[in-house]
Amino acid sequence: MRCPYCSELKGRMLLHRHLLDSHADEVELDGAVYRLDCPRCSETVEVDVSQAPGVSEEEARGYADDVTVMAFDVLLDHMEDSHQ
């Protein structure tokens, strides 16, 4: 799978690490919402950690890398569904 931000080509699981290491600045944090704009269209994808049962926004910050990977995974799903 090709990185939506650069020419890196990796399997999906390895691409998650690449996205986290190289493109985490693409993720906008708005309270408990991790938001990404699709680089190819006007769609925005987001992960809202406030909906996680029993996890406060403050606790969720301890899982920021994991949630960032989740946001990138939602973006990759969007890319596969809309741009393949």
Side-chain angles (χ1 to χ4, degrees):
M1 182 171 234
R2 187 165 306 282
C3 175
Y5 300 103
C6 68
S7 61
E8 194 75 24
L9 185 62
K10 295 185 177 288
R12 190 168 180 136
M13 296 309 289
L14 292 174
L15 187 55
H16 285 150
R17 182 83 247 169
H18 164 76
L19 287 164
L20 184 62
D21 291 344
S22 301
H23 304 291
D25 59 333
E26 297 291 338
V27 179
E28 175 188 332
L29 181 58
D30 181 12
V33 178
Y34 289 69
R35 188 172 292 121
L36 280 163
D37 294 325
C38 175
R40 292 195 187 159
C41 71
S42 61
E43 290 291 316
T44 298
V45 299
E46 56 186 43
V47 173
D48 185 349
V49 294
S50 69
Q51 298 173 359
V55 178
S56 70
E57 186 178 321
E58 189 173 305
E59 290 172 314
R61 285 191 193 109
Y63 300 101
D65 284 353
D66 297 317
V67 179
T68 299
V69 168
M70 286 174 54
F72 279 127
D73 198 52
V74 173
L75 176 65
L76 293 177
D77 286 343
H78 164 77
M79 300 295 289
E80 285 183 327
D81 292 344
S82 300
H83 302 294
Q84 292 285 332

